[in-house]
Amino acid sequence: MTIALPPWIVLDSLIQQWLLEDIGRGDRTTAGLQLSQETLSSAHWIAKEAGVIAGLPVAARVFYLLDTRTRFQPIVAEGQLCQPGDIIARLHGSLETLLTGERVALNLAMGLSGIATTTRRYVERSQSFRHSWWILAKPHRV
């Protein structure tokens, strides 16, 4: 399945706004660690419950906007069903960048995955109906 995203020029300004809102005058927890940009680390995103994964390209963009050297490697495909314990993505980059972007990126991915999971449940339930449903638009005058 091919997922069409809005152009990055649209999404980048939203992501930057969310990062500014989250970080504010600085990420005090990360700043308190007194890390340098050269302190590298790796991380794994692991599913806590079963669901449909969505939003990984947008989550990856969060880290890209913070530091273009950060690698975000999705392990599962967008729209794929996962189980608890499945590795969703691997990240590698400066520890400061990973810590600074994690909250915004995870909030986006978890929110979009929640919507995708709920949608899947509704679709599965609706398939048991014997009736065909049609949505009719009432004509209107211009």
Side-chain angles (χ1 to χ4, degrees):
M1 172 187 338
T2 303
I3 308 295
L5 291 171
W8 288 124
I9 193 167
V10 173
L11 291 176
D12 283 356
S13 62
L14 288 171
I15 293 169
Q16 289 168 344
Q17 180 181 343
W18 296 327
L19 284 167
L20 286 171
E21 180 182 315
D22 185 62
I23 298 167
R25 294 184 182 174
D27 183 350
R28 293 179 187 208
T29 304
T30 303
L33 296 173
Q34 298 178 345
L35 302 169
S36 74
Q37 276 295 100
E38 285 71 46
T39 305
L40 298 178
S41 187
S42 295
H44 295 87
W45 282 7
I46 300 172
K48 290 185 176 181
E49 57 186 71
V52 177
I53 298 302
L56 295 182
V58 180
R61 191 67 175 188
V62 170
F63 293 106
Y64 176 84
L65 291 174
L66 289 170
D67 183 350
T68 58
R69 299 171 295 174
T70 305
R71 287 185 312 185
F72 185 100
Q73 177 190 11
I75 303 302
V76 299
E78 193 80 357
Q80 181 177 330
L81 186 62
C82 71
Q83 298 302 319
D86 288 353
I87 295 176
I88 306 303
R90 290 189 178 105
L91 296 86
H92 183 78
S94 86
L95 182 55
E96 182 178 18
T97 299
L98 297 182
L99 292 173
T100 301
E102 74 169 328
R103 197 168 29 243
V104 170
L106 281 170
N107 283 345
L108 285 165
M110 288 189 303
L112 293 169
S113 294
I115 293 167
T117 301
T118 300
T119 301
R120 181 185 178 112
R121 288 185 188 133
Y122 280 117
V123 169
E124 288 172 348
R125 288 180 187 160
S126 70
Q127 290 174 349
S128 65
F129 295 132
R130 294 184 190 169
H131 303 290
S132 295
W133 297 91
W134 294 87
I135 298 174
L136 301 175
K138 183 178 178 182
H140 64 279
R141 294 181 187 160
V142 179

